[in-house]
Amino acid sequence: MSRITPDIRIQSADFDVAAEIAKLTDGRSDTGAVVTFTGLCRDEGGTLSALELEHYPGMAEAEIRRIAEEAVQRWPLTGLAAIHRHGRIAPGENIVLVVASSAHRQAAFEAANFLMDFLKTRAPFWKKEHLASGEEGQWVDAKEADDDAAERWKQR
Amino acid sequence: MSRITPDIRIQSADFDVAAEIAKLTDGRSDTGAVVTFTGLCRDEGGTLSALELEHYPGMAEAEIRRIAEEAVQRWPLTGLAAIHRHGRIAPGENIVLVVASSAHRQAAFEAANFLMDFLKTRAPFWKKEHLASGEEGQWVDAKEADDDAAERWKQR
Amino acid sequence: MKLIYFSWIRERLDIAEEEAELPETVKTLGDLLAWQKSRGEEFEAVFAHEKVVRVALNQEHVDDLAASLEGVTEAAFFPPMTGG
Amino acid sequence: MKLIYFSWIRERLDIAEEEAELPETVKTLGDLLAWQKSRGEEFEAVFAHEKVVRVALNQEHVDDLAASLEGVTEAAFFPPMTGG
């Protein structure tokens, strides 16, 4: 099987999950499993009016591509796509999408999970909260749990 | 958080992944993560012309609902849906869809993965191959790997 | 009792569904499987695959041979599932 | 060298991007961080958070303080990422 090229996009526009699945699967019949992960903006119990996602334009795509290429080396994928939005995002809106396809289901699940763990800890994006109260919001703190989640892939 | 009711459907018609995601997420802002799993019919290197999915109509929905209710007890989900098709399905077409949503990504990933493992080993569906050669096809054998995959959830 | 068969078991027996009058001595799942084996050559051959033939009583998986048939109106027989 | 700042580091220093003339003695990442600390009160305060301030050289994560700056045209400074 020849290695696939991950489709990586950094954009302010929203994405369409069904269209991204179709891009990976249309016209081929060797794919038995497609896993998608969509990350959405939560309102944190009504306290949040929006998230502002700052990113490092040059590096963001390059870093996600490095992580995606590692996933392609590690699992027998038939397709891999990652889209990360930047800018102001309201509660309920999409932030990030990962789509992984493979002949077999565990490869698709694991590759999507792996990509998300490393996106969280290595992709140069920073979230600032806009509060519903109108007060100045905080920059979101990195979670130790996210570092632990990324760390677990080294133990395999 | 009040427990959600899983949406379970057994049908011969195809499904629309984007519409199913929208059903779980529209109008709410407590969901941070949506994981979908789509299972597709492969052509097994061109040897297969279709799969025929036989099912046990009364039991299929009840059994998937039992598995889904277990997932709802186990993970803090904001939505859960499973659709399983029956009848004749051509290579490249959809067979099964699971959608799990949650505030947090690991709950969504694990619930979708759990549901698929048990769908494979406990939902009363049987696949018969139709061969491209026109010869009489075989009933697909259950895989030991699928039993092992289901078994791993007991060890937690 | 309504007896239902799926997949290659249905094909081998050439029965999708039947209404059966069980002998009064058939009280457990084990009794039911033994009775099936006694119904002729094809039944004997199919039900000899003890680890392969799965059973659902009233549409729930049951693998305890001592399980009672009381209240059971529908029993289904099938090989390991291959859905998903 | 082009120096870029993100998130609260950008806000604290009130600089998004600058072109800096580094002293010839600044040859490693460690030297660069020490030089940053010497640039005044705000820089000293920000770069005192040694475990928090992350660095990318030419758009790649680097955490080895001995890493050479040779060929580096762009250095970025930021807190732990919170994307995804």
Side-chain angles (χ1 to χ4, degrees), chain A residues 7-71:
Chain A
D7 182 8
I8 310 298
R9 274 168 283 158
I10 313 296
Q11 60 190 42
S12 63
D14 197 10
F15 48 77
D16 175 343
V17 180
E20 298 305 328
I21 293 177
K23 272 188 209 170
L24 296 195
T25 56
D26 276 3
R28 59 192 305 166
S29 44
D30 59 348
T31 292
V34 181
V35 170
T36 73
F37 176 91
T38 310
L40 299 100
C41 178
R42 285 176 289 142
D43 70 357
E44 306 297 351
T47 60
L48 219 71
S49 66
L51 283 175
E52 185 81 35
L53 269 101
E54 180 170 327
H55 77 301
Y56 183 177
M59 181 177 173
E61 187 185 327
E63 187 64 26
I64 296 179
R65 189 168 298 284
R66 279 189 282 268
I67 301 164
E69 288 290 353
E70 203 179 320

Side-chain angles (χ1 to χ4, degrees), chain D residues 4-79:
Chain D
I4 314 181
Y5 306 90
F6 292 100
S7 183
W8 61 260
I9 297 179
R10 171 179 57 71
E11 289 184 342
R12 277 284 293 274
L13 299 177
D14 200 18
I15 307 173
E17 200 177 308
E18 61 179 338
E19 195 61 44
E21 202 70 49
L22 301 183
E24 291 222 349
T25 51
V26 174
K27 294 182 184 312
T28 67
L29 173 55
D31 297 339
L32 177 60
L33 290 168
W35 177 76
Q36 287 280 35
K37 273 190 211 169
S38 76
R39 294 176 69 197
E41 212 170 290
E42 277 302 332
F43 279 87
E44 196 181 339
V46 163
F47 285 91
H49 298 282
E50 287 179 6
K51 295 207 168 138
V52 172
V53 177
R54 310 289 170 97
V55 185
L57 301 179
N58 288 347
Q59 308 191 348
E60 285 204 48
H61 291 289
V62 176
D63 58 8
D64 177 6
L65 294 177
S68 167
L69 299 179
E70 210 177 312
V72 174
T73 56
E74 185 173 306
F77 305 88
F78 43 79

Side-chain angles (χ1 to χ4, degrees), chain A residues 90-143:
Chain A
E93 280 190 57
N94 293 323
I95 297 174
V96 62
L97 175 69
V98 165
V99 187
S101 64
S102 175
H104 302 289
R105 76 184 185 284
Q106 279 313 319
F109 266 120
E110 290 186 12
N113 205 336
F114 170 91
L115 206 60
M116 277 311 304
D117 281 348
F118 282 91
L119 267 170
K120 289 257 173 196
T121 55
R122 295 189 60 88
F125 288 83
W126 300 271
K127 291 188 183 115
K128 189 174 192 171
E129 299 182 337
H130 290 278
L131 300 181
S133 65
E135 286 168 71
E136 165 98 27
Q138 300 289 310
W139 289 94
V140 173
D141 267 331
K143 292 197 193 80

Side-chain angles (χ1 to χ4, degrees), chain B residues 100-118:
Chain B
S101 64
S102 175
H104 302 289
R105 76 184 185 285
Q106 279 314 319
F109 266 120
E110 290 186 13
N113 206 336
F114 170 91
L115 206 60
M116 278 309 305
D117 281 348
F118 282 90

